């Protein structure tokens, strides 16, 4: 018997069944159903410690990447705004109240690192933390190299892998992204539960970089 993907989003299976058909676009394996499920599990773990509206949070998680914009696109910084607008339309069609739609839209808009918008609600803070947890640790390293492959970037500069004599450029070298973004993320977590999880994953990320440099 085949299990529905929505069943993995317990206790919000019904909501997931309604929203998953709208939740992803394109073929980006770093922003796919598996990513949504990891972010959902992160969010529910933080929600259990911090509180907040679980159904609203689940909707924000499910729709936070509902518009796909490649990392190399000039529209990348607008991706979360575009996703929030699409999400609002989806929830409006489902009969959600406008206040709750606005709360979901804000959480989606504020989750993005590129957007640089401060989360103003607990649900927005949880979503931002849950999404950023998937950008550090072992999964963050895996996604970094996956995205570098999509962008046809090299793994590292063989003559200067740590960029001691050149500017960092993560559009050319995957390993540069550790310094330009990934190793900075743990300092910006919004919730106590998120910060605790982030410190553990940050240490894993540092270990990945250490082992990578040792092998080259």
């Amino acid at each position: 018997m085949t299990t529905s993907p929505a069943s993995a989003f317990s206790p919000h299976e019904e909501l997931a069944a309604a929203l998953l058909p709208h939740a992803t676009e394109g073929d980006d394996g770093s922003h796919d159903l598996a990513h949504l499920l990891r972010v959902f599990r992160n969010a529910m773990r933080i929600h259990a410690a911090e509180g907040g509206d679980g159904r609203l949070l689940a909707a924000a998680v499910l729709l936070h990447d509902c518009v796909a914009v490649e990392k190399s696109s000039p529209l990348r910084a607008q991706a979360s705004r575009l996703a929030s607008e699409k999400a609002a339309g989806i929830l409006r069609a489902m009969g959600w109240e406008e206040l709750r739609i606005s709360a979901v839209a804000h959480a989606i808009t504020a989750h993005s690192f590129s957007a640089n918008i401060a989360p103003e609600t607990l649900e927005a803070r949880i979503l931002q933390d849950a999404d950023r947890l998937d950008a550090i640790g072992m999964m963050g390293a895996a996604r970094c190299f996956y995205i570098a492959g999509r962008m046809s970037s090299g793994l590292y500069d063989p003559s200067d892998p740590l960029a001691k004599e050149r500017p960092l450029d993560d559009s050319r070298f995957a390993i540069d992204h550790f310094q330009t973004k990934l190793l900075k993320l743990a300092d910006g977590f919004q919730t106590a539960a998120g910060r605790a999880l982030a410190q553990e994953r940050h240490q894993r990320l540092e270990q990945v970089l250490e082992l990578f440099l040792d092998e080259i």
Side-chain angles (χ1 to χ4, degrees), residues 47-69:
H47 166 60
E50 302 285 342
D53 186 320
R55 181 174 169 80
L56 192 155
L57 177 60
V61 169
L62 285 157
L63 295 175
H64 80 279
D65 282 333
C66 65
V67 173
V69 181

Side-chain angles (χ1 to χ4, degrees), residues 6 9 55 68 76 87 100 127 140 146-147 161 185 192 195 205 208:
F9 292 84
R55 181 174 169 80
R76 182 60 193 171
R100 292 176 65 76
L127 175 59
Y146 169 86
I147 293 168
L185 290 177
R195 283 191 293 273
L205 193 63
V208 170

Side-chain angles (χ1 to χ4, degrees), residues 143-155 174:
R143 293 176 72 207
C144 173
F145 291 120
Y146 169 86
I147 293 168
R150 286 179 67 89
M151 295 172 60
S152 300
S153 303
L155 292 178

Side-chain angles (χ1 to χ4, degrees), residues 3-82:
T3 302
S4 166
S7 64
F9 292 84
S10 176
H12 301 286
E13 301 98 326
E14 184 177 347
L15 180 63
L19 296 183
L20 281 176
H22 310 283
T24 58
E25 292 182 342
D27 62 350
D28 182 356
S30 67
H31 294 93
D32 57 1
L33 175 62
H35 167 70
L36 288 181
L37 184 55
R38 292 192 303 270
V39 174
F40 176 78
R41 288 171 175 164
N42 292 339
M44 291 299 105
R45 187 172 179 182
I46 298 171
H47 166 60
E50 302 285 342
D53 186 320
R55 181 174 169 80
L56 192 155
L57 177 60
V61 169
L62 285 157
L63 295 175
H64 80 279
D65 282 333
C66 65
V67 173
V69 181
E70 289 284 356
K71 292 286 188 182
S72 56
S73 170
L75 294 176
R76 182 60 193 171
Q78 299 181 43
S80 65
R81 178 184 61 80
L82 295 171

